[in-house]
Amino acid sequence: MTRFGYDERSAALLVFPVLAVLLVVAAFPIIYSFWVSLHDIVLTRPLRRPFVGFDNYLRIFDDARFWTAVARTTVYTLVCVAVTTFLAVLVALLLNEVFPGQRLLSALLLVPWATPSVVNGLMWKWIYDPTYGLLNGLLVQVGLLERYRVWLGDPDITLLLIANAAIWKQMPLAALLMIVTMKAIPEDLYRAARVDGANIWQRFVHVTLPALRPGLMLVLVYETMISIRHFDLFLIMTQGGPGDASFTLSWLIYVETFRSLRFGTGAAMSYVLAITTFALSWAVIRFLGKRI
């Protein structure tokens, strides 16, 4: 049945170009990369590409570097997600109130998020610089340090320093999502809580926090997906060093694929990373989705 010159056939014709583009730029690379992961492809011998099935996957699971990278990626992801979410809730609670300068502060909040990732990495690399870095200069001036320190050369804190740079950029978007969720909370709930004698903490626990679950779910899923696949900061700031202190899974994939030129195992690692990201996102959605 045709209505206003519109029917299902014409709609399908209009949608087809978009589907074709998605098929080319999204579906084909996914399928092709899986095909690559099933072959022993090394660019130093491009004419020999034997089919090995799932041997590449078994090989990476036997590689000690892989499990080291998994451990470092887990620590990095947990720190980024936990601190980003915690700070986002605090900032959202602050900006949800009305006070002089609120709009200016809300606008300034967007600056880190709008900063390009490369600029963010270079900025924090300069801040941590052992010769002229702002962090060393500030700590020496206030007397907390006696001499300049090589921050990114300390394997015990390098991962946390990179996480700090990631949190600085990712937190504003998470805070905005929290603010939008808070704005949707009916004011009547807070009035009823005040009438019942609830203090600020009780109102937060029993009114604000339960209503924040949709926003929290979105923030946790997004931040997990971003953090577990982070690559640009590691490339700019440390390149996996010092030693293997910042050797995360995304960096290992890069080294295996583009430095060692082993595209088969690199593609297998990429699929493991993608499946892990999907599984974690599904778990968060399933856990919090039941409570929304």
Side-chain angles (χ1 to χ4, degrees):
M1 172 178 155
T2 302
R3 177 185 290 181
F4 304 116
Y6 173 85
D7 57 23
E8 293 182 358
R9 181 175 298 178
S10 59
L13 291 175
L14 291 173
V15 173
F16 177 76
V18 178
L19 294 178
V21 171
L22 289 176
L23 188 65
V24 172
V25 303
F28 174 75
I30 293 174
I31 296 172
Y32 180 73
S33 61
F34 180 70
W35 179 87
V36 170
S37 73
L38 300 179
H39 293 73
D40 185 18
I41 299 178
V42 182
L43 289 193
T44 54
R45 46 173 177 76
L47 299 181
R48 184 170 175 268
R49 302 184 175 188
F51 177 81
V52 295
F54 291 96
D55 285 354
N56 285 330
Y57 294 88
L58 298 176
R59 187 179 299 118
I60 63 176
F61 289 140
D62 288 334
D63 190 347
R65 296 181 309 158
F66 173 78
W67 294 110
T68 299
V70 168
R72 301 204 186 283
T73 303
T74 301
V75 172
Y76 176 81
T77 301
L78 289 175
V79 171
C80 285
V81 173
V83 177
T84 298
T85 305
F86 177 74
L87 293 178
V89 173
L90 291 183
V91 172
L93 288 171
L94 173 63
L95 296 181
N96 195 42
E97 302 295 329
V98 178
F99 58 89
Q102 177 205 18
R103 293 185 178 181
L104 176 62
L105 189 59
S106 299
L108 292 176
L109 179 67
L110 296 173
V111 173
W113 178 58
T115 302
S117 297
V118 174
V119 176
N120 180 48
L122 290 174
M123 179 187 71
W124 282 100
K125 187 176 181 179
W126 291 336
I127 291 174
Y128 297 142
D129 190 271
T131 305
Y132 51 82
L134 176 62
L135 182 59
N136 274 323
L138 180 62
L139 293 179
V140 169
Q141 288 294 326
V142 300
L144 295 178
L145 279 182
E146 294 183 0
R147 54 184 176 273
Y148 280 20
R149 180 177 179 180
V150 184
W151 294 100
L152 293 177
D154 188 342
D156 294 329
I157 62 173
T158 298
L159 205 63
L160 298 179
L161 294 176
I162 299 174
N164 178 68
I167 292 166
W168 183 83
K169 177 173 174 57
Q170 295 168 201
M171 188 275 293
L173 178 60
L176 289 176
L177 294 173
M178 291 289 96
I179 292 173
V180 171
T181 307
M182 285 184 185
K183 295 294 184 183
I185 302 175
E187 187 63 29
D188 293 342
L189 295 179
Y190 290 106
R191 294 196 189 98
R194 292 190 191 97
V195 171
D196 291 338
N199 56 32
I200 294 178
W201 174 249
Q202 290 171 331
R203 291 198 297 270
F204 172 75
V205 172
H206 298 290
V207 179
T208 305
L209 197 56
L212 283 180
R213 282 174 183 159
L216 280 174
M217 181 176 68
L218 183 59
V219 168
L220 289 174
V221 170
Y222 176 77
E223 295 299 332
T224 300
M225 293 176 63
I226 291 295
S227 300
I228 201 172
R229 298 181 296 109
H230 233 139
F231 171 77
D232 47 7
L233 290 178
F234 294 92
L235 175 65
I236 296 167
M237 298 179 68
T238 61
Q239 297 199 3
D244 63 350
S246 57
F247 224 88
T248 58
L249 192 52
S250 59
W251 180 254
L252 179 60
I253 292 171
Y254 167 76
V255 170
E256 186 74 9
T257 306
F258 297 105
R259 292 191 177 181
S260 301
L261 301 180
R262 290 191 284 264
F263 274 60
T265 51
M269 289 182 185
S270 298
Y271 255 87
V272 171
L273 180 62
I275 293 172
T276 302
T277 304
F278 173 80
L280 290 174
S281 302
W282 177 83
V284 172
I285 293 174
R286 185 173 179 83
F287 178 76
L288 290 180
K290 291 181 177 180
R291 291 162 173 79
I292 296 177

